[in-house]
Amino acid sequence: MATALQAVRGMNDVLPDEACAWQRFEDTARDVFERYGYRHLRVPIVEPTPLFVRSIGEHTDVVEKEMYTFDDKLNGDSLTLRPEATAGIVRAAIEHSLTYERPLRVWTGGPMFRHERPQKGRYRQFHQLDVEALGFAGPDVDAEQIVMLARLWRALGLDGIALTINSIGDADERRAHRAALIEYFERHRSDLDDDAQRRLHANPLRILDSKNPALAGLIADAPRLLDGLGAASRAHFDALRALLDEAGIGYTIEPRLVRGLDYYNRTVFEWVTDALGAQGTVAGGGRYDGLFEALGGKPTPACGFAIGIERMILLLHAEGATRVTAPDAYVVHVGERAGVLARRVAESLRDHGASIVLHAGGGSFKSQMKKADASGARLALIIGDDEASVETVAIKTLRDGGEQVAVPLRDLHARFAALNTSKDEYGCL
Ligand code: ATP
Ligand code: MG
């Protein structure tokens, strides 16, 4: 026998029993985004490597260690599986001049790839929904995105996701802060780990983003950018706070929050749950006013965020908010005339929006009823040649007592609708 192959480590299958939660999450999110005028777009999964190096930053975990990079066999170009979506969206916006006439709100979603150590909530292929407001200087649009996320959590029935915000200022303020950070960490050089030592001069801000618990104390006492904000950044941050207050959204200011990618400025934010252990950040984002220019475009202020879908699904499970997909009814039929009627009935109910599994493969009533039970359907429609000859269908409720009624064809739709009441709008039990 040939050896069975397995998926690449850290890259997961989403099996049918989990799919309902994914669909519910994605449908709910799409609906919320569209209510705020965000339009869908799709960009490639593979991009030229320099796009990510220039946007995310050379001295970041993602670019230094996590990218899936390979040479195009035909022409030798260096290509990378996208580790995040913002760079590709900005590349597309520049390439197609999408934002120069008027600003644009967009969202996209799909798989991202980072070569991280797989663990709960952290995978090598994972999925994000990604939302970007391009051509907006904010802070109104920064607040809009946060308010929109709060609405999404409500729509999903999730509470307990906490908002953390910070401002990391503009380029000048970051330069001054950078110098202060280098000076500070130089004094504690021997306490730094290898990554931090290496980045000390290249990108000291990244040390603040370190996940090494041994550095936590040192990082907590490091100079805070928030204390050295200029007037414009300060006003932006204060206005954002006022808008969040107005919307009744609680938040914590976390001066160490810098986010893992270099392109951010001013507003940064994260939504964090403590229900998922160490991988508690379910969404994060911020402003990136300099990214268009860094990628060869015209100056275009922008703000965006990404939601980690796997972590959302884990959270929905943890809150018991997930369900399993199941058909409305399973049609059991034995006999030739019964088969004709069964196919007709199944098509007719589908015409009216029901999801119907028609038994395939023959077999006795008993064996078919077992499959009906296993399908999770609420109802079984049972048809034998006797029923077929008088144009009647037996409807049996498979749970709640298992009653069975004989229904003439002309009453089928009404009786079916009355009995089929347990599913949500996603077709999930
Ligand atoms: P973390 O600090 O957890 O590594 P990050 O700052 O690298 O996250 P972002 O680049 O901001 O993450 O991505 C946004 C969201 O995508 C994260 O908040 C998280 O929910 C999700 N995410 C990021 N990396 C992974 C991964 N390897 N596996 C699963 N989800 C991920
Ligand atoms: Mg990360």
Side-chain angles (χ1 to χ4, degrees):
M1 217 164 64
T3 338
L5 295 171
Q6 292 189 329
V8 176
R9 190 164 128 80
M11 305 201 180
N12 301 313
D13 302 306
V14 177
L15 301 176
D17 275 355
E18 285 166 79
C20 188
W22 282 71
Q23 280 174 313
R24 188 167 93 90
F25 170 71
E26 289 176 341
D27 288 353
T28 307
R30 182 175 53 221
D31 177 61
V32 169
F33 299 161
E34 284 172 1
R35 280 193 216 192
Y36 288 77
Y38 285 80
R39 300 173 66 204
H40 187 47
L41 96 174
R42 296 184 193 209
V43 290
I45 287 173
V46 178
E47 296 274 4
T49 303
L51 176 68
F52 300 116
V53 178
R54 276 160 68 182
S55 57
I56 295 169
E58 221 171 319
H59 304 281
T60 55
D61 278 354
V62 172
V63 169
E64 279 184 351
K65 315 178 198 168
E66 299 173 359
M67 293 206 303
Y68 282 88
T69 296
F70 56 97
D71 291 339
D72 186 321
K73 269 190 194 150
L74 294 178
N75 61 12
D77 287 354
S78 179
L79 305 177
T80 292
L81 299 184
R82 64 179 182 193
E84 56 95 46
T86 306
I89 290 177
V90 170
R91 193 244 341 113
I94 295 169
E95 190 169 331
H96 305 286
S97 299
L98 293 182
T99 58
Y100 297 149
E101 304 264 305
R102 65 186 76 86
L104 182 68
R105 290 174 170 87
V106 288
W107 71 273
T108 195
M112 309 294 155
F113 302 85
R114 297 184 193 176
H115 200 278
E116 304 201 66
R117 189 170 69 77
Q119 52 197 293
K120 184 183 167 198
R122 193 175 292 287
Y123 313 102
R124 292 180 173 171
Q125 174 178 293
F126 62 99
H127 296 75
Q128 290 182 337
L129 286 186
D130 190 85
V131 174
E132 314 289 351
L134 309 174
F136 296 89
D140 46 3
V141 92
D142 313 22
E144 172 183 280
Q145 294 188 340
I146 291 171
V147 169
M148 184 164 81
L149 279 169
R151 178 183 292 279
L152 176 58
W153 311 147
R154 276 200 310 278
L156 292 166
L158 295 172
D159 41 29
I161 307 180
L163 173 64
T164 304
I165 63 171
N166 189 26
S167 173
I168 57 171
D170 285 328
D172 287 349
E173 294 139 34
R174 288 169 69 166
R175 253 190 300 280
H177 179 239
R178 187 192 137 93
L181 274 183
I182 293 178
E183 201 259 327
Y184 171 81
F185 285 123
E186 277 286 9
R187 274 191 278 124
H188 300 91
R189 203 177 174 115
S190 54
D191 298 331
L192 297 179
D193 62 14
D194 289 351
D195 272 346
Q197 299 239 7
R198 210 160 26 80
R199 288 172 182 166
L200 177 53
H201 288 271
N203 196 347
L205 200 67
R206 284 282 70 84
I207 300 176
L208 301 182
D209 197 40
S210 168
K211 293 199 171 67
N212 183 351
L215 298 185
L218 195 58
I219 289 169
D221 292 335
R224 299 153 39 128
L225 212 163
L226 199 58
D227 299 330
L229 289 184
S233 295
R234 168 60 60 191
H236 191 112
F237 192 54
D238 290 345
L240 170 65
R241 293 180 55 188
L243 287 163
L244 295 179
D245 292 341
E246 178 194 296
I249 292 178
Y251 56 85
T252 311
I253 297 173
E254 173 46 72
R256 312 294 153 194
L257 178 64
V258 292
R259 313 266 308 118
L261 320 175
D262 271 358
Y263 52 63
Y264 290 108
N265 70 311
R266 292 197 180 176
T267 308
V268 288
F269 63 87
E270 286 188 349
W271 288 89
V272 185
T273 168
D274 49 22
L276 297 182
Q279 270 57 252
T281 306
V282 291
R287 179 155 282 286
Y288 50 93
D289 295 332
L291 185 56
F292 273 72
E293 283 166 280
L295 296 178
K298 298 182 197 167
T300 307
C303 185
F305 65 83
I307 309 173
I309 303 185
E310 280 81 357
R311 293 186 195 177
M312 289 305 309
I313 302 302
L314 286 169
L315 190 56
L316 286 167
H317 280 300
E319 308 264 320
T322 53
R323 292 148 170 244
V324 172
T325 40
D328 292 313
Y330 193 101
V331 182
V332 165
H333 56 98
V334 178
E336 217 169 290
R337 294 181 65 184
V340 176
L341 181 59
R343 287 187 285 278
R344 216 175 98 204
V345 161
E347 284 301 314
S348 167
L349 289 167
R350 290 171 186 141
D351 285 343
H352 286 73
S355 75
I356 307 292
V357 173
L358 180 63
H359 178 79
S364 66
F365 273 118
K366 196 169 165 216
S367 70
Q368 292 192 30
M369 282 306 292
K370 274 195 188 144
K371 297 211 166 72
D373 271 325
S375 76
R378 181 176 173 80
L379 303 175
L381 305 190
I382 304 164
I383 307 174
D385 282 341
D386 291 350
E387 281 86 1
S389 63
V390 291
E391 300 235 302
T392 297
V393 173
I395 305 184
K396 184 174 164 63
T397 52
L398 292 174
R399 281 164 283 129
D400 316 327
E403 258 170 79
Q404 184 165 330
V405 284
V407 178
L409 224 41
R410 68 184 124 71
D411 296 337
L412 181 66
H413 285 291
R415 294 298 295 273
F416 185 88
L419 288 166
N420 183 39
T421 52
S422 68
K423 294 206 323 181
D424 68 11
E425 61 188 303
Y426 301 100
C428 304
L429 286 170

